[in-house]
Amino acid sequence: MPLSRSFIFIGVLMIVGGALALWNPLVAAIAVTQLVGFFLLLSGAAQLWFASKGAGALVAIAGLLGLVAGVYLIADPLEGVVSLTLVVGLVFIIVGLIRLVLAWGMRMTQMFWLLLFAGAASTFIGVVILGDLGGIATVFLGVVLGIELLIDGVGLVAFGIATRHRGN
């Protein structure tokens, strides 16, 4: 299969996946939570293995935390969705505040307004997420996943079409 067709095929699959995620964001959020839990289990196990080979106590602690978090997310995926949404909300707030501080430091440059807007927007989104965590948690991750898959899928299809016209 030519490379351009591969891009188009994967893009179409991503568009379908994004549409499904937006159609049922709760199921998509639970799937994301299960996937994150699985990768935390793998990461925790690998870190414990490295610790057993002499990597140190901090690696062992990180491995145990990864295992515990992975088991938690897999054992109770709905609670895991709320927990992951909480973490995402906190990340938005922290990143937003950092951008606001950076903007203040660059107030005499052209980047000031862009950083100020980005920081305010990120902080606002984080506050909205945390302000309605119970209501937003069940759909937020699924909607974000759906939007991301749709955008990436459209981009891959467009890239595939562009490379097909170039003969690739």
Side-chain angles (χ1 to χ4, degrees):
M1 177 184 307
L3 191 57
S4 60
R5 280 195 194 150
S6 298
F7 285 126
I8 293 170
F9 178 72
I10 293 169
V12 168
L13 287 179
M14 291 177 80
I15 290 169
V16 169
L20 290 173
L22 290 173
W23 178 61
N24 196 341
L26 176 59
V27 171
I30 289 172
V32 167
T33 301
Q34 295 283 355
L35 190 62
V36 169
F38 174 74
F39 281 115
L40 284 171
L41 280 175
L42 284 178
S43 172
Q47 289 177 25
L48 286 175
W49 183 78
F50 290 134
S52 74
K53 301 295 181 192
L58 289 177
V59 174
I61 291 169
L64 283 174
L65 288 174
L67 281 177
V68 169
V71 167
Y72 168 74
L73 292 177
I74 291 171
D76 192 354
L78 197 53
E79 188 65 34
V81 167
V82 175
S83 298
L84 285 179
T85 304
L86 173 67
V87 169
V88 169
L90 290 172
V91 167
F92 268 101
I93 290 173
I94 292 166
V95 168
L97 292 175
I98 290 170
R99 286 181 181 149
L100 289 173
V101 169
L102 289 172
W104 184 254
M106 301 179 82
R107 62 187 175 279
M108 299 301 174
T109 70
Q110 294 176 355
M111 295 299 296
F112 171 72
W113 290 107
L114 180 61
L115 279 172
L116 185 69
F117 175 74
S122 292
T123 303
F124 176 74
I125 291 168
V127 168
V128 167
I129 292 169
L130 296 184
D132 188 23
L133 188 61
I136 204 169
T138 57
V139 297
F140 177 76
L141 294 175
V143 168
V144 169
L145 174 67
I147 291 169
E148 176 68 19
L149 287 172
L150 283 174
I151 291 169
D152 285 350
V154 168
L156 281 176
V157 168
F159 188 72
I161 290 170
T163 56
R164 181 171 43 179
H165 292 306
R166 289 183 47 207
N168 293 332

